[in-house]
Amino acid sequence: MQDAIAKPKSSKLLYWLLLVVLVIFSLATLFPFLWMISASLRTDVDLFKNPMNWIPQTLYLNNYKEVWTAIPFAQYFLNTVKLSVIITVLQVVICSMSAYAFAKLKVPFKNTIFILFMTNLMMPWHSIMVPQFSVVSSLGLYNSHTGYILIQLFSGFGIFLMRQFFMSLPNELNEAARVDGYNEWKIFWKIMMPLSAASLSTLTIFTFTFMWNDYLAPLIYLNDDVLKTLQLGLKGFQTEHTMDYGLLMAGTVIATIPMVVVFLIGERFFMQSVATTGMKN
Amino acid sequence: MNRKKGLATISLSVALILALVGCSSGNNSGGGNQASGGKTVLEYYTWTDEEDYMKKVVDAFNAQNSDIEVHMNTISNDADEYNTKIMNNLSGGSKMDVYSINGTSSLGLYSSKGQLVELTDRIKEANLDVSAYGPSFQDITSVLTEGKYYALPYRTSQYALFYNKKLFDEAGVEYPTQMTWNEYAELAKSLTKGEGADKQWGGYYADWITAPLGALQEGTTVLDDSLDPIANWLDYLNRLYYEDGSHMSYKQMKAESIDWIKQFESGNVAMMINGEWTINMLKADIAAGKTDMEFDMAPMPLPEGMNDPITVGGVSTFIGINPQSKNADAAFQFVQFVAGEQGESIIAESSVLPAYSSDKTKESFLNATGLQGSGFFFEANTVVENQPVANIDEVNRVFNEQRDLYLFQEQDSATAIQNFIKNRQSVLNK
Amino acid sequence: MTSKRLANYKSYIPGTLFILPAFVLFAVFIFVPLIYGFVMSFTDYGGFNVTPNFIGIDNYVNLFQDDYFLVSLKNNLIYTVLFVPLTMILALFAALALNNVLHLRKYLRMAFYFPYITSMVSIAIAWGLLFNPVSGPINYILKAIGIANPPEWLMSSHWALFAIILVAVWKSFGYYMIILLAGIQGIPEHLYEAAKLDGANKFKQFLYVTLPSLSPTLFMVLILTIINSFQVFDLVSVMTDGGPGRSTNVLVFRIYQEAFINYRMGYAAAMSTVLFLIIMVISLIQFRLEKKWVTY
């Protein structure tokens, strides 16, 4: 995989051509975000007078100041960080545990339970939204972070993803560890989890992104201002008849930064673990 | 085999336990409302657009009542979120005593599902003068809720013509007064000029005004058998958007997600047909320094051959009580305050057209707007925008589907009407 | 059978304990609501606290005479047939390219993943501008390369669904690219070295090493894209609201409208059940076929 450059000239040309294509392609994928940054630096009136002037003549920074006071932005931000981190960590652990059991351990009615679990992947959330709400509120967990966290912890996708990975590991690994006197709990934490760092970081990135951007569930489950999340706050800029584009875009830009950070950190793990597993082979 | 049975038993008993817990705790939502100091706390819900003036009403009420404290919650009204949230609250979500109802169709829905306390007796006891809410409230009450009162209105919606004074001054054209739709179209055409960034539009007709205003003025609604006036109205819109090009085209508004009020504020639109809420929003933006435009208003244009001013609108926003509230008495006090003369005057002071019509509310409104033209709202006759029947939202939706296809120039108006009649049938049969 | 199980009784304990947390969460927060919803589909439940009436299979019978539902089903099938292959090809191309490129890797990976993390509302506005038939850059380019009458995209009932598909592919290919990238980088290096020793060129390496080793991941991505294609909701809701006309109304959007706008919860539950069955059947067929082309 590292040998693409050590090639004759025609191949080298092809390589640079590919790179150019990829860069153009990347500009296309980034475009809407660039537009958001542009819109966040302009007044709304200017935006509507000259919708196609994407480069602002004068930078209007007020949106970035105002967004912190227009809504309790800092409070929402902290709530979002708290919920996303807790849910991501717990979901990844819980899903990995059951995925490991599905892949490597004896479980009564393994296939039945697995298929049942996968129904979660196949059912759109909207269709269980109302009954799920009844269940949560009858447990007295409505309007609490606990209630919202609990409904998000199970993920059919997470189990599916991790199971696929654990299945690709040789069974001999478990057998050898058992001979060494490891119990299953220890095998899981000391051997399986470190080996699956690549899949784990993938799942972490996905879960975190999803939770950070989640909108409808927080809307339904969180009521008090002190509990609300960033996406609920951003939506406040868009009301029935009108929309505050500048503030919305400035808020979106700020709200995107943590996801970029998580992606970059997750990616580092991802690359390191690829390097180590590669060496072992 | 045994294990399978075990599994089934477990899940069944989980379900049973949940059901039992649900029964016993389902009423929690109404309890625990006695705050410190023996005050009754009322949880009131409305949508974000109302925050500005309802906050003042709530504050005034709290200042006057030492034993009741109203706590206001606002929810964004984009994409039916408000209704979703209210539905969850009504099904046992957060504690909610009083809530605002947006539109007559929502009123019909909530009252028919038993989600509003019937107020008929209380209104009688309190000797409230419901005629102050005008004939549209009587129509709604008699048709939609069989003469029973489930909520009181506190806002009226009406359409009118707004214009940018500066653009008229520049063109040396007199400010508009009562016109016909034809004259309006001609005037708009003459005020349209320029290209690109210098483009000036003669008029602006927002894409989301789906009600066929001109047809309604003539007395035709989307529920009628003969829909010719509506077909004519569609052709008229086509004239504004495409033939004359005096209004930003329907396609462009949709494509660029144009915000109607910002477009008007940007100063390149001479006239705009829109609702009375425009006044409150423009004034707020001018006060906040977002725009420096000067505007005034005129009566809504009329169909050919009509003389008396007539506009589309009627009482549109209501306030009612959740049957699960433990504080119905205090809640009714608040409802009475909001929809009564005092609350309505506060609303009017924010340039929002109140439902309660009296000399005092009228005066507050005219003082607040400072617009000569705004007296029109109290003089014109009104026809209701949405017919007070169940399913009206769904009928409007299927109408809008065909209207969209017509204004995207994919079908002619006759086809649009034909398809609408077909789809309307299947909605009404449901 | 039973005695054997009893003898092995202890060997089930660890597995059961590992699954237990997920199982409890699933049972309480997903399975119970699921069954609740299924029961609801045989009633005329209309929301709120109103007690529903049992109406047998009426909802299901009505469903297949309901034009609106059938249109949304048709739209959804078109969406699936286009979205799945396009997303998979693009994701695979991006993953393979990133695996072979040494420059700008970090930047490119981030750029491709970016659409997935940007907020829906802002995306809808930005793409609306791009697709603008009058002054948008897409049609500007199309006209420049000689297409006299380019499509009107979101303003046209013939093209709107394709515009949505395009944005959906754009938004999600980076997500699947990450999954595929993880799969590609998990392929042991020695397989490539062996292939090289046999004189295989890059293309042959791809055909005989990458593809077979990647087949489990590809299978997973296939299943996921198909399932996701039946759950499309957000994009339709923010970009077209199902229009123009009914041209972009898809299944979940229809379910949402019936349940939360028209308050026909029972009817919406019946639609959900049908949707669930469709996805279930497709997935089962896939799992049958899995054995034919996936090599573990």
Side-chain angles (χ1 to χ4, degrees):
Chain A
M1 114 190 170
Q2 303 283 326
D3 57 354
I5 287 196
K7 279 288 160 75
K9 256 197 182 143
S10 67
S11 188
K12 220 170 189 176
L13 189 73
L14 221 62
Y15 173 82
W16 288 109
L17 206 68
L18 176 70
L19 200 63
V20 170
V21 170
L22 288 175
V23 168
I24 293 172
F25 192 51
S26 74
L27 290 179
T29 59
L30 284 179
F31 166 79
F33 192 70
L34 300 176
W35 183 83
M36 274 157 55
I37 294 177
S38 151
S40 73
L41 294 168
R42 303 166 64 180
T43 63
D44 279 7
V45 172
D46 177 36
L47 188 66
F48 281 98
K49 231 172 172 172
N50 315 302
M52 289 294 149
N53 274 355
W54 287 335
I55 295 160
Q57 269 109 14
T58 49
L59 288 189
Y60 179 77
L61 294 170
N62 232 352
N63 288 326
Y64 283 90
K65 258 185 256 161
E66 221 182 292
V67 77
W68 294 91
T69 47
I71 54 171
F73 200 82
Q75 171 83 54
Y76 293 169
F77 197 92
L78 284 178
N79 287 340
T80 314
V81 171
K82 175 189 157 192
L83 288 172
S84 306
V85 169
I86 293 178
I87 290 171
T88 305
V89 170
L90 288 178
Q91 193 199 83
V92 167
V93 170
I94 289 171
C95 290
S96 308
M97 278 169 62
S98 68
Y100 173 63
F102 281 125
K104 299 288 176 197
L105 300 176
K106 280 183 168 177
V107 177
F109 306 104
K110 196 190 244 181
N111 285 333
T112 316
I113 296 178
F114 184 68
I115 290 171
L116 268 177
F117 276 16
M118 288 308 108
T119 55
N120 172 240
L121 256 179
M122 299 169 195
M123 202 79 185
W125 182 69
H126 292 98
S127 61
I128 62 163
M129 192 166 106
V130 175
Q132 194 183 48
F133 178 80
S134 313
V135 170
V136 172
S137 56
S138 63
L139 292 172
L141 295 171
Y142 169 75
N143 196 24
S144 71
H145 280 172
T146 318
Y148 175 68
I149 290 171
L150 281 174
I151 62 159
Q152 302 289 10
L153 288 186
F154 180 87
S155 158
F157 170 74
I159 293 173
F160 189 35
L161 183 86
M162 293 310 293
R163 173 179 166 268
Q164 291 289 95
F165 174 79
F166 287 131
M167 275 169 66
S168 73
L169 294 177
N171 284 332
E172 291 82 38
L173 220 57
N174 299 55
E175 277 147 28
R178 278 176 208 137
V179 170
D180 286 350
Y182 276 41
N183 64 26
E184 294 301 334
W185 187 244
K186 222 169 160 186
I187 295 176
F188 175 71
W189 282 108
K190 290 276 158 69
I191 299 173
M192 294 298 153
M193 289 300 258
L195 272 180
S196 57
S199 299
L200 283 176
S201 55
T202 312
L203 183 60
T204 304
I205 292 171
F206 287 167
T207 309
F208 189 85
T209 310
F210 183 83
M211 288 309 147
W212 191 272
N213 277 333
D214 194 15
Y215 173 68
L216 203 51
L219 173 80
I220 292 170
Y221 285 97
L222 306 175
N223 198 49
D224 294 347
D225 253 354
V226 288
L227 298 177
K228 282 182 182 164
T229 65
L230 215 45
Q231 298 299 328
L232 293 179
L234 289 179
K235 200 72 172 198
F237 294 128
Q238 191 192 21
T239 56
E240 185 182 15
H241 285 307
T242 180
M243 191 195 288
D244 213 320
Y245 285 91
L247 287 180
L248 174 67
M249 294 305 162
T252 314
V253 170
I254 300 174
T256 309
I257 294 169
M259 280 186 285
V260 176
V261 172
V262 166
F263 181 82
L264 291 176
I265 295 172
E267 191 195 46
R268 184 172 300 164
F269 274 101
F270 180 84
M271 297 321 293
Q272 274 173 1
S273 66
V274 167
T276 48
T277 44
M279 255 158 58
K280 268 185 192 141
N281 280 315
Chain B
M1 233 18 236
N2 269 336
R3 255 168 214 276
K4 240 177 212 165
K5 251 186 197 159
L7 191 74
T9 321
I10 288 171
S11 45
L12 246 177
S13 47
V14 168
L16 248 167
I17 291 165
L18 284 175
L20 288 174
V21 173
C23 286
S24 59
S25 68
N27 293 330
N28 270 357
S29 49
N33 33 35
Q34 216 67 8
S36 56
K39 265 194 183 184
T40 307
V41 176
L42 292 178
E43 293 294 337
Y44 164 56
Y45 276 79
T46 187
W47 55 96
T48 326
D49 290 327
E50 301 228 303
E51 184 160 8
D52 160 46
Y53 45 89
M54 289 314 283
K55 181 107 192 44
K56 292 175 194 159
V57 177
V58 167
D59 288 345
F61 179 81
N62 286 341
Q64 278 182 23
N65 293 274
S66 53
D67 54 335
I68 305 174
E69 192 183 316
V70 175
H71 179 238
M72 183 166 105
N73 304 274
T74 53
I75 306 290
S76 156
N77 198 32
D78 184 56
D80 284 294
E81 276 147 32
Y82 182 69
N83 292 338
T84 308
K85 181 75 185 181
I86 293 296
M87 199 192 80
N88 276 322
N89 283 352
L90 290 169
S91 324
S94 24
K95 176 178 167 328
M96 176 172 80
D97 298 288
V98 187
Y99 61 107
S100 284
I101 300 146
N102 191 2
T104 42
S105 55
S106 296
L107 176 64
L109 172 79
Y110 294 132
S111 57
S112 68
K113 303 266 183 193
Q115 301 303 318
L116 284 167
V117 174
E118 197 197 323
L119 303 176
T120 318
D121 292 340
R122 286 177 188 273
I123 287 172
K124 234 179 249 166
E125 265 169 49
N127 254 331
L128 292 189
D129 177 19
V130 284
S131 67
Y133 300 112
S136 65
F137 186 49
Q138 296 312 316
D139 288 351
I140 290 166
T141 308
S142 59
V143 180
L144 193 65
T145 54
E146 292 157 342
K148 292 176 188 156
Y149 294 97
Y150 287 95
L152 288 177
Y154 64 90
R155 272 181 66 187
T156 299
S157 295
Q158 284 191 23
Y159 286 93
L161 171 70
F162 300 88
Y163 59 89
N164 185 331
K165 282 175 156 179
K166 201 177 115 208
L167 297 188
F168 277 86
D169 293 342
E170 276 173 11
V173 178
E174 269 180 48
Y175 296 146
T177 51
Q178 179 72 67
M179 292 182 280
T180 65
W181 283 110
N182 240 333
E183 289 163 349
Y184 168 75
E186 290 303 326
L187 182 58
K189 205 169 153 186
S190 72
L191 288 166
T192 304
K193 61 178 189 192
E195 280 306 320
D198 297 324
K199 181 81 184 178
Q200 176 180 311
W201 299 101
Y204 190 86
Y205 192 92
D207 51 332
W208 47 264
I209 305 178
T210 52
L213 299 181
L216 287 167
Q217 283 173 309
E218 288 179 44
T220 303
T221 80
V222 289
L223 295 174
D224 289 350
D225 291 334
S226 163
L227 297 174
D228 292 346
I230 292 183
N232 294 340
W233 178 252
L234 289 180
D235 289 333
Y236 178 75
L237 290 181
N238 185 57
R239 173 180 168 191
L240 300 182
Y241 288 138
Y242 300 105
E243 282 170 23
D244 290 357
S246 60
H247 289 59
M248 182 185 283
S249 79
Y250 193 73
K251 282 181 190 170
Q252 192 182 348
M253 287 190 287
K254 287 273 191 190
E256 292 174 9
S257 308
I258 299 294
D259 185 315
W260 60 284
I261 197 144
K262 275 165 196 147
Q263 188 66 40
F264 190 52
E265 285 173 1
S266 74
N268 57 9
V269 172
M271 296 183 286
M272 179 172 75
I273 304 289
N274 217 304
E276 69 15 85
W277 51 81
T278 309
I279 302 176
N280 161 269
M281 295 171 81
L282 283 176
K283 288 186 86 86
D285 283 354
I286 292 170
K290 287 182 186 164
T291 175
D292 57 357
M293 75 172 308
E294 282 181 60
F295 72 100
D296 207 325
M297 54 174 288
M300 189 158 86
L302 286 171
E304 286 316 308
M306 294 183 92
N307 294 316
D308 295 331
I310 184 163
T311 183
V312 175
V315 291
S316 60
T317 308
F318 308 85
I319 184 165
I321 302 169
N322 181 0
Q324 283 165 39
S325 168
K326 293 273 160 70
N327 306 303
D329 289 334
F332 186 66
Q333 243 176 293
F334 178 60
V335 167
Q336 235 180 306
F337 181 82
V338 171
E341 190 165 47
Q342 215 181 341
E344 289 279 75
S345 298
I346 298 172
I347 291 173
E349 277 160 22
S350 297
S351 308
V352 172
L353 193 59
Y356 189 92
S357 175
S358 73
D359 292 342
K360 192 173 171 225
T361 59
K362 212 179 282 185
E363 196 191 306
S364 305
F365 183 72
L366 295 181
N367 279 343
T369 63
L371 298 176
Q372 302 171 344
S374 68
F376 159 72
F377 289 128
F378 298 94
E379 289 148 20
N381 285 319
T382 56
V383 286
V384 288
E385 180 175 0
N386 289 306
Q387 304 314 299
V389 294
N391 288 1
I392 189 66
D393 276 356
E394 231 178 318
V395 173
N396 283 340
R397 186 174 174 96
V398 295
F399 171 66
N400 200 27
E401 286 169 0
Q402 298 305 322
R403 176 179 166 276
D404 251 7
L405 289 176
Y406 171 70
L407 291 175
F408 286 146
Q409 298 178 301
E410 286 195 20
Q411 60 184 14
D412 56 33
S413 54
T415 317
I417 296 295
Q418 263 173 24
N419 289 341
F420 165 60
I421 290 175
K422 195 182 106 224
N423 293 340
R424 181 179 70 180
Q425 200 52 44
S426 53
V427 168
L428 295 177
N429 282 345
K430 269 184 189 169
Chain C
M1 218 21 214
T2 317
S3 62
K4 209 175 170 190
R5 274 240 175 90
L6 279 172
N8 288 335
Y9 172 67
K10 264 195 162 171
S11 65
Y12 280 99
I13 293 178
T16 311
L17 288 176
F18 268 84
I19 277 185
L20 199 63
F23 186 82
V24 172
L25 288 167
F26 172 79
V28 177
F29 296 108
I30 289 146
F31 194 66
V32 169
L34 204 76
I35 297 301
Y36 191 172
F38 183 66
V39 172
M40 205 194 272
S41 75
F42 297 99
T43 69
D44 63 355
Y45 184 54
F48 309 103
N49 300 324
V50 184
T51 317
N53 301 306
F54 183 75
I55 54 166
I57 58 165
D58 279 10
N59 283 332
Y60 292 92
V61 174
N62 291 338
L63 210 52
F64 289 96
Q65 295 158 356
D66 179 352
D67 286 349
Y68 215 156
F69 171 73
L70 296 175
V71 165
S72 70
L73 184 61
K74 190 192 93 195
N75 288 339
N76 215 138
L77 291 176
I78 297 174
Y79 180 92
T80 302
V81 166
L82 289 171
F83 171 80
V84 173
L86 281 175
T87 307
M88 285 195 66
I89 290 167
L90 208 56
L92 186 60
F93 165 76
L96 288 171
L98 278 184
N99 199 44
N100 282 296
V101 154
L102 296 176
H103 301 85
L104 298 173
R105 289 178 91 157
K106 259 199 152 121
Y107 159 76
L108 289 172
R109 210 163 25 224
M110 187 76 228
F112 293 161
Y113 188 65
F114 224 98
Y116 184 68
I117 64 180
T118 40
S119 113
M120 273 289 176
V121 185
S122 327
I123 280 172
I125 297 163
W127 275 98
L129 284 170
L130 273 172
F131 277 126
N132 185 346
V134 188
S135 56
I138 291 180
N139 278 8
Y140 183 82
I141 294 170
L142 288 180
K143 276 179 195 154
I145 60 170
I147 297 168
N149 286 310
E152 300 208 304
W153 303 110
L154 298 173
M155 312 291 120
S156 150
S157 59
H158 307 289
W159 288 97
L161 189 59
F162 297 102
I164 298 255
I165 292 169
L166 216 67
V167 178
V169 172
W170 167 84
K171 183 144 174 67
S172 50
F173 85 93
Y175 175 85
Y176 298 108
M177 174 197 79
I178 297 286
I179 300 180
L180 288 173
L181 207 53
I184 291 174
Q185 300 190 320
I187 300 172
E189 196 70 4
H190 66 85
L191 290 180
Y192 286 104
E193 269 145 33
K196 261 182 254 166
L197 283 180
D198 290 345
N201 62 22
K202 273 258 156 189
F203 181 69
K204 281 202 166 146
Q205 287 175 31
F206 170 72
L207 216 58
Y208 296 116
V209 178
T210 315
L211 268 190
S213 316
L214 200 58
S215 59
T217 320
L218 276 172
F219 173 70
M220 178 169 77
V221 170
L222 178 67
I223 291 274
L224 289 174
T225 46
I226 290 177
I227 290 173
N228 283 357
S229 74
F230 279 100
Q231 299 186 352
V232 51
F233 172 80
D234 292 359
L235 271 182
V236 169
S237 148
V238 295
M239 289 188 70
T240 60
D241 199 30
R246 297 173 173 183
S247 60
T248 56
N249 209 312
V250 287
L251 283 176
V252 175
F253 193 69
R254 194 82 267 279
I255 292 173
Y256 178 82
Q257 285 182 325
E258 284 291 1
F260 296 105
I261 295 178
N262 303 334
Y263 297 98
R264 278 193 279 271
M265 299 277 178
Y267 194 54
M271 285 187 194
S272 303
T273 309
V274 170
L275 171 59
F276 180 69
L277 287 177
I278 293 173
I279 297 177
M280 194 72 153
V281 167
I282 293 177
S283 305
L284 286 179
I285 294 171
Q286 292 295 329
F287 275 102
R288 274 280 148 75
L289 295 176
E290 178 190 14
K291 286 168 195 114
K292 290 218 169 123
W293 62 277
V294 175
T295 41
Y296 279 103

